[in-house]
Amino acid sequence: MRYFDFHTHAFTDELAQRALSGLAKTSGISPATDGTVDGLRRKLAENGIERAMLLPVATKPSQQATINKWAASVKGGGLYCCGTVHPDAEDALDEVERIKSLGLCGVKFHSEYQKFCPDEERMFPIYEKIAELGLLAVFHGGWDPYSEDIIRATPQSFAAVAENFPKLKIIAAHLGGMKLWNDIEKYTAGRYDNLWFDVSVIARYIEDEQLFRIIRMQGADKVLFGSDCPWDDPANEIAMIERLPLTDSEKELIFHKNAEELMYPYISSP
């Protein structure tokens, strides 16, 4: 089986140790890598993963240009990268244009770190620009163990964005809303052609029966394999999908084919 891990993280070599130490202390989760790009590549190779998406996040407006320059510098060799914009940045629209010019694949948002709800109207011009440029919009979804106990990125909010921006390709991480499994079934699963879920870091939080039901509702062609490495070992999400009573064709869609289709024309040999 081939694999495309659509949800991974890494930091600059200088920042990695400090970033992982702080996040691990807050969450109580032991990271699966040292937080560097090289560490990520080693973990991917260990699991036979040929391709992966790196998803950086700017937690302050001042970070976005530097992070996007770094993302562009580390992509290649099977590693693809999204860029990031901060909702409070005055030059957010210009930065989306720059993301496109740098050859990055989309824009990663994290509502809990960036303090916004996906369906806020102030975000709409950013979504319009992303859709216009043919980039992906990748969102954290649901609960997050590293931030304050407020959930801003809900299935209801993704439903509103999907309805208002039908040309926007939306990837809602953590099955569209970590720990909001019933709301996913009620508001988003299988309802929107422009909405994909990834399965990153959910292996320890969801029962197989409900996961299988949500995948059946959503359609295997709208689900992406992801791990959230280093916050989970990709082996856990691989094993989770493998033990579900899905067909081999459905597993192929989830493990790599859906990602490859979304990533055209960025895709290249690993």
Side-chain angles (χ1 to χ4, degrees), residues 97-229:
E97 293 268 9
R98 183 166 168 268
I99 284 169
K100 177 71 172 182
S101 72
L102 288 170
L104 302 174
C105 307
V107 181
K108 171 61 190 289
F109 299 102
H110 198 304
S111 290
E112 312 312 324
Y113 295 165
Q114 298 177 320
K115 302 296 190 292
F116 77 99
C117 296
D119 56 349
E120 288 182 36
E121 288 190 13
R122 68 186 176 111
M123 300 298 297
F124 289 5
I126 300 176
Y127 300 156
E128 289 172 354
K129 178 61 69 173
I130 293 171
E132 173 192 324
L133 295 175
L135 296 168
L136 306 175
V138 184
F139 294 86
H140 166 82
W143 172 79
D144 185 279
Y146 309 109
S147 59
E148 59 191 90
D149 194 21
I150 298 173
I151 299 178
R152 297 178 174 89
T154 64
Q156 295 93 318
S157 70
F158 293 134
V161 176
E163 288 177 2
N164 282 287
F165 298 92
K167 294 183 179 180
L168 182 67
K169 293 181 178 179
I170 303 163
I171 294 91
H174 318 305
L175 205 64
M178 177 69 81
K179 292 190 174 183
L180 302 177
W181 317 128
N182 293 336
D183 285 348
I184 293 164
E185 293 192 46
K186 184 175 181 180
Y187 295 108
T188 52
R191 293 175 179 267
Y192 302 101
D193 289 339
N194 59 330
L195 177 62
W196 286 256
F197 298 156
D198 80 29
V199 299
S200 57
V201 78
I202 68 171
R204 65 171 69 100
Y205 297 111
I206 190 170
E207 297 294 329
D208 286 359
E209 182 181 355
Q210 186 160 34
L211 172 59
F212 180 67
R213 186 167 65 245
I214 290 174
I215 292 175
R216 276 282 180 260
M217 293 176 67
Q218 172 73 351
D221 61 329
K222 287 289 193 295
V223 178
L224 302 161
F225 163 62
S227 66
D228 209 4
C229 187

Side-chain angles (χ1 to χ4, degrees), residues 11-12 37 54 56-58 61-76 81-85 95-104 106:
F11 305 90
T12 65
V37 173
L54 184 65
V57 179
S62 60
Q63 296 174 338
Q64 60 183 22
T66 301
I67 289 175
N68 292 332
K69 181 180 178 181
W70 171 78
S73 74
V74 300
K75 67 183 177 67
C81 298
C82 281
T84 181
V85 298
E95 193 63 22
V96 175
E97 293 268 9
R98 183 166 168 268
I99 284 169
K100 177 71 172 182
S101 72
L102 288 170
L104 302 174

